[in-house]
Amino acid sequence: MTTANEKLARLISEAADGKDTPQPGHDLWRGIEHSISRSGRRRGRWLNWAWASAACAVLAVGLVTFNSMQSSPGTATPQSELLLTVLNQQHEQQRQMLLSHYQTVGWDGKSGYVQQELEQIRASIHEVSEQLIEEPNNRQLWQLLQWLYSKELELLESQFKVNEQLQQV
Amino acid sequence: MKKLMNLLFSVSVAAVLYAAPTAAFAAQESVDKRLDVPANVVVTIENMRGEVEIIGTEETYAQVRGKLDEYATGMTFELADNNLTIRVEMPARGNFSGNHGSELEIHLPSSAELNISGVSSDFVVRDFSSDVQLNTVSGDIHAHSLRGKLNLTSVSGDIQSEKLTGRVTLKSVSGDIDDRDGAGSNASYSSTSGDIDVRTSVSDISAESVSGDVMLDLQSVSNLRLKSVSGDVKATLALTRNGRISANSVSGDVELLFSGAVDANLEANVSGGGSIVNDVNDARVEESKWGVGANLETRLGSGSGTIELTTMSGDIILRKK
């Protein structure tokens, strides 16, 4: 009886101390650690591949661009014409992004209060771009083109803001 | 009895019809409020419709007097730390087609910094020595004797200003800008279809327009930047020794009228159908051999400054006063 009581007391005490927690047969942490590091290495390897591929792509695009610029000075796509095309494309992208952003917040783009000026600016961008093909070294014309880009975006933006404010009234 | 009922009904209808406009007018709440404010108070003023006159004083209090918009639900007039809010409260939605907007006169310490906004509200702002930011959509702006960083913008309203000092930026879309007797470090004017007419002694100036004309009556200029799409630009000025002028236009004319001697390297270029008229010295304008476009490169005086002018099809005219 005493032995049984002692055994029971020991079991209760061990349970209270947490000694009855089942222990793994071997140290699992080493395995977990190894697994984590292996997964990290795998991800690292994948990232390395991605970076390498991206670098190759950039290098390839760079080489192609460089070659095309080297091989065609003064022909169909001279450097200035290429720059002009890139600038016009960039501006068009910004313009479309601005318009689609406003459309997502519920504006249909129909507000005619500066429509005439916007059309004038669009025509001027075209006109100045054409002239820059003839006069690629005219720094003032490049500045004028940059200003026309920013003016168009500014007007589009103001058109939306005004529309919003006037709707209040 | 029936006749009496009809008569009563007619009288009631007539009374209601007669009283309706009066009731709307009578609905304009009168206000007269006053608060002590610190000298460095930052004031936010919001009024959707009507006319607001804001006057700087030597007093240490803020006072609002006048009538609120007929649709206003009240007015916020609160000071928190050094931030004072004066806001005519309007319903969130509604058809505000009545004729009776707010008519307010606001007195503030002249050292107050102002942030003012409205939609169809006209603003008169005078006698302040700190920064002013003012935005209105279709209202007019009259600014008088302000000193600081001044940004005044109206979309379709006109901007008229006098004696602005500091860093001045006046901007309008279809409204005209008329600025007189300005002084200070620099001034910038921008319009889309409105005209810009300026007389100032500021030496660093920028003006741009899409289709509006620009007329500048300047004194001694160190830096002048002009841009236009189809509007004509005309400036009368004296150029400082190392001064710089840059003017770009698509189809608008650019005319510079110099008072006094000019020391600058001048380069003028017309790409399309415009022409260059040079009455400043004897240098010849080179016409393009294809008959389209012209170019002028010349040195004026010691050539210490720079003048660069470009148009696509507008004329470039250079004259001495």
Side-chain angles (χ1 to χ4, degrees):
Chain A
M1 189 68 187
T2 314
T3 318
N5 279 342
E6 280 171 358
K7 196 176 177 182
L8 182 64
R10 198 180 70 240
L11 282 170
I12 291 168
S13 164
E14 280 177 3
D17 292 344
K19 283 183 181 172
D20 64 340
T21 312
Q23 293 296 316
H26 59 280
D27 186 4
L28 286 177
W29 178 244
R30 277 189 194 167
I32 295 166
E33 196 177 30
H34 178 69
S35 169
I36 289 170
S37 66
R38 194 175 52 198
S39 142
R41 276 201 304 274
R42 261 206 304 267
R43 193 166 57 236
R45 229 176 282 150
W46 181 85
L47 265 178
N48 286 343
W49 274 109
W51 278 115
S53 310
C56 284
V58 169
L59 196 65
V61 170
L63 277 171
V64 168
T65 312
F66 180 75
N67 280 338
S68 70
M69 283 161 70
Q70 288 295 305
S71 61
S72 55
T75 55
T77 44
Q79 203 169 342
S80 54
E81 208 169 325
L82 193 69
L83 177 64
L84 194 63
T85 310
V86 170
L87 287 176
N88 276 332
Q89 279 172 352
Q90 273 180 358
H91 173 65
E92 191 54 32
Q93 275 171 5
Q94 281 182 310
R95 186 175 167 272
Q96 289 303 331
M97 271 169 67
L98 195 70
L99 287 172
S100 61
H101 169 71
Y102 288 148
Q103 277 159 11
T104 53
V105 294
W107 182 50
D108 60 0
K110 289 175 186 167
S111 165
Y113 88 106
V114 284
Q115 199 55 45
Q116 203 178 334
E117 280 70 27
L118 277 168
E119 280 165 17
Q120 256 189 43
I121 290 174
R122 299 283 301 157
S124 298
I125 286 174
H126 181 70
E127 197 180 343
V128 173
S129 298
E130 295 272 296
Q131 192 59 38
L132 273 168
I133 294 169
E134 304 296 319
E135 293 181 65
N137 297 322
N138 191 331
R139 189 168 47 86
Q140 295 274 306
L141 273 188
W142 285 105
Q143 286 174 1
L144 184 59
L145 184 68
Q146 290 289 332
W147 176 71
L148 290 167
Y149 289 153
S150 64
K151 203 71 196 171
E152 186 184 16
L153 297 179
E154 187 190 313
L155 276 188
L156 283 171
E157 197 180 357
S158 78
Q159 206 180 10
F160 169 71
K161 283 182 182 166
V162 169
N163 200 52
E164 199 180 37
Q165 284 171 316
L166 285 175
Q167 273 179 353
Q168 289 182 312
V169 188
Chain B
M1 187 62 187
K2 196 178 176 186
K3 276 185 181 173
L4 184 64
M5 288 295 283
N6 281 342
L7 184 66
L8 276 173
F9 178 73
S10 306
V11 169
S12 309
V13 168
V16 167
L17 286 174
Y18 176 76
T22 321
F25 184 72
Q28 273 192 289
E29 183 190 339
S30 291
V31 286
D32 189 353
K33 294 186 177 185
R34 184 171 147 164
L35 264 178
D36 284 334
V37 292
N40 65 340
V41 66
V42 178
V43 186
T44 301
I45 298 169
E46 291 175 27
N47 180 60
M48 189 186 276
R49 312 182 322 141
E51 289 169 15
V52 181
E53 187 168 2
I54 305 154
I55 302 160
T57 68
E58 296 308 310
E59 307 296 341
T60 56
Y61 60 80
Q63 185 172 29
V64 184
R65 280 189 307 212
K67 290 174 185 172
L68 299 183
D69 192 303
E70 62 183 302
Y71 300 106
T73 55
M75 184 183 78
T76 299
F77 186 56
E78 283 174 359
L79 180 68
D81 297 327
N82 66 331
N83 295 304
L84 176 69
T85 303
I86 302 170
R87 183 169 53 235
V88 176
E89 304 289 354
M90 297 288 279
R93 288 168 189 277
N95 175 17
F96 309 126
S97 54
N99 293 325
H100 304 291
S102 304
E103 294 160 39
L104 297 173
E105 190 174 300
I106 300 173
H107 291 256
L108 297 165
S110 60
S111 53
E113 188 180 319
L114 306 179
N115 291 303
I116 307 163
S117 60
V119 180
S120 59
S121 179
D122 295 340
F123 291 99
V124 176
V125 189
R126 57 169 69 237
D127 303 324
F128 284 93
S129 59
S130 203
D131 298 353
V132 178
Q133 175 99 31
L134 198 167
N135 289 294
T136 181
V137 179
S138 58
D140 294 337
I141 298 172
H142 293 256
H144 194 286
S145 302
L146 306 178
R147 191 172 71 240
K149 192 176 170 191
L150 311 172
N151 285 302
L152 313 181
T153 304
S154 177
V155 176
S156 58
D158 296 336
I159 301 177
Q160 281 191 331
S161 53
E162 256 185 283
K163 296 183 180 170
L164 304 188
T165 310
R167 293 172 64 90
V168 178
T169 304
L170 306 184
K171 210 168 182 179
S172 155
V173 176
S174 58
D176 295 336
I177 295 174
D178 190 327
D179 183 35
R180 302 278 141 192
D181 305 327
S185 57
N186 58 40
S188 167
Y189 306 92
S190 170
S191 155
T192 300
S193 58
D195 295 336
I196 298 172
D197 194 347
V198 174
R199 187 177 68 212
T200 182
S201 64
V202 175
S203 65
D204 187 333
I205 308 241
S206 143
E208 59 179 52
S209 157
V210 176
S211 59
D213 294 336
V214 179
M215 177 86 82
L216 306 173
D217 186 354
L218 310 173
Q219 293 180 17
S220 193
V221 168
S222 62
N223 197 353
L224 175 63
R225 298 166 303 282
L226 303 168
K227 284 195 165 56
S228 163
V229 176
S230 61
D232 294 337
V233 179
K234 183 175 180 180
T236 305
L237 69 143
L239 189 65
T240 58
R241 194 163 168 71
N242 295 305
R244 180 179 170 80
I245 299 172
S246 156
N248 309 136
S249 160
V250 179
S251 58
D253 296 342
V254 174
E255 183 173 353
L256 299 180
L257 191 60
F258 294 101
S259 58
V262 188
D263 293 318
N265 277 317
L266 186 149
E267 190 180 337
N269 186 40
V270 173
S271 300
S275 58
I276 299 175
V277 176
N278 176 24
D279 286 345
V280 178
N281 67 1
D282 296 331
R284 261 190 67 232
V285 174
E286 285 180 29
E287 303 284 343
S288 162
K289 56 186 171 186
W290 295 285
V292 178
N295 178 264
L296 171 68
E297 283 183 39
T298 183
R299 182 176 167 148
L300 303 168
S302 68
S304 54
T306 309
I307 302 172
E308 293 178 324
L309 315 169
T310 298
T311 73
M312 286 289 298
S313 55
D315 294 340
I316 294 177
I317 300 153
L318 303 161
R319 293 188 203 282
K320 274 193 168 180
K321 200 173 175 183

